Amino acid sequence: MMNKYARITGTGSYLPPRRLTNADLVSQLAAQGIETSDEWIVERTGIRARHFADAGMTSSDMALEAAQKALQAAGVDAAEIDLIIVGTSTPDMVFPSTATILQGKLGTRGGAAFDVQAVCSGFIYALTIADALIKAGSASKALVIGSEVFSRILDFKDRTTCVLFGDGAGAVVLEASAEPGILATDIHADGKYTDILCVPGHVNGGQILGLPLLRMDGQAVFKLAVGVLDETARTVLAKAGKTEADIDWLIPHQANIRIMQSTARKLKLPMDKVVITVDQHGNTSAASIPLALDAAVRSGQVKPGHTLLLEGVGGGFTWGSVLLKM
Ligand code: ACO
């Protein structure tokens, strides 16, 4: 049986307890001869602090914490979940997926569980797939999660990248509903941009070949990001028959405050309609949008009935957006 809509009924998130302010990170890097400053980081990115997971804490551990909060908020028992999708580029293992490991930790069985690898667009991709599966009648209650331990793939000798990222997880429960719900989705990729943002290392015969650390051409990423984010925002609004004026909150991928300001400016949205957590979380890749959504729900910014535009961009290159009613 087809379902009319898929609707978010609960949100949750998790940040590992170890919090590093810019000052903490600056002094840690200085001890290794790497020079940076709070001023540079704040001015270029808007980031003031990030959380790093301790050794031993994995993406599935953080996903479990976020999922349990989302289930509680939705009033749904884990046993009712028939679909788990985790957006992550920092999975626990090469295989099985972080989603199946999470399913084991939740103590449930039978429903589909898999990961989506779309880097910082991972949550947008995951939400789009879950929406489609619910509308098709293939699932009825889904956990959609972004969870990342980017601290594990950062090169702390590269000041142009190691100051930008953090760890965390965010989750939503998405349920079949007669009421909206997700109004429209839009996802894209352009595979010719592998080199501007990647972790080239891979497992081969018991060894890691290539550098297993993040490499980024920041300026190339910046230029591409502002263009595609504007494009996908307009596309998803048109698909839903809505305009910029219908948006109550823009929840963009939290990579850089300047990218978010540019997106808002192009959509003629004032910055007080943009949810911002990059200052406290840094860039948590696939976790950044659900982390920001949960923060905005729990602070009372986002209310039932509000129209939200979520949009992401990341390695691949991948990008996309979801327009929804809470
Ligand atoms: N501290 C101090 N100085 C630094 C640092 C640092 N941490 N990093 C770079 N610099 C220096 C550079 O060496 C350069 O010095 P130079 O002029 O003497 O050569 C100077 O600062 C300027 O460097 P730029 O790279 O030109 O700085 P820019 O203004 O472009 O900012 C940044 C860099 C923040 C990375 C920006 O390009 C950006 O935000 N890009 C988008 C990145 C992004 O959003 N990535 C994530 C999207 S996808 C995903 O989330 C995985």
Side-chain angles (χ1 to χ4, degrees), residues 35-36 40 44-45 119-120 159-160 163-165 197 216 218-219 221-222 253 255-256 258-259 283 313-314:
E35 197 188 315
T36 183
W40 192 94
R44 306 280 176 139
T45 72
V119 201
C120 304
R159 68 176 182 174
T160 68
V163 300
L164 304 176
F165 295 89
L197 182 52
M216 179 171 76
Q219 286 189 5
V221 169
F222 195 105
H253 170 46
N256 183 313
R258 292 187 294 146
I259 296 178
N283 180 348
V313 59

Side-chain angles (χ1 to χ4, degrees), residues 100-116:
T100 56
I101 296 170
L102 169 66
Q103 191 195 44
K105 288 179 179 174
L106 283 166
T108 63
R109 66 173 298 282
F114 59 92
D115 289 357
V116 166

Side-chain angles (χ1 to χ4, degrees), residues 214-232:
L214 184 145
R215 283 280 168 264
M216 179 171 76
D217 176 345
Q219 286 189 5
V221 169
F222 195 105
K223 270 187 215 134
L224 263 170
V226 293
V228 296
L229 286 172
D230 187 50
E231 213 174 273
T232 184

Side-chain angles (χ1 to χ4, degrees), residues 131-191:
D131 175 55
L133 288 174
I134 287 177
K135 279 197 189 129
S138 304
S140 62
K141 289 186 188 190
L143 264 172
V144 185
I145 298 167
S147 189
E148 301 276 20
V149 276
F150 257 53
S151 60
R152 306 266 154 83
I153 52 166
L154 293 179
D155 179 353
F156 285 96
K157 292 189 179 67
D158 175 10
R159 68 176 182 174
T160 68
T161 54
C162 72
V163 300
L164 304 176
F165 295 89
D167 301 339
V172 303
V173 174
L174 192 72
E175 296 188 54
S177 163
E179 306 296 322
I182 291 180
L183 303 171
T185 61
D186 183 58
I187 51 174
H188 301 276
D190 186 341

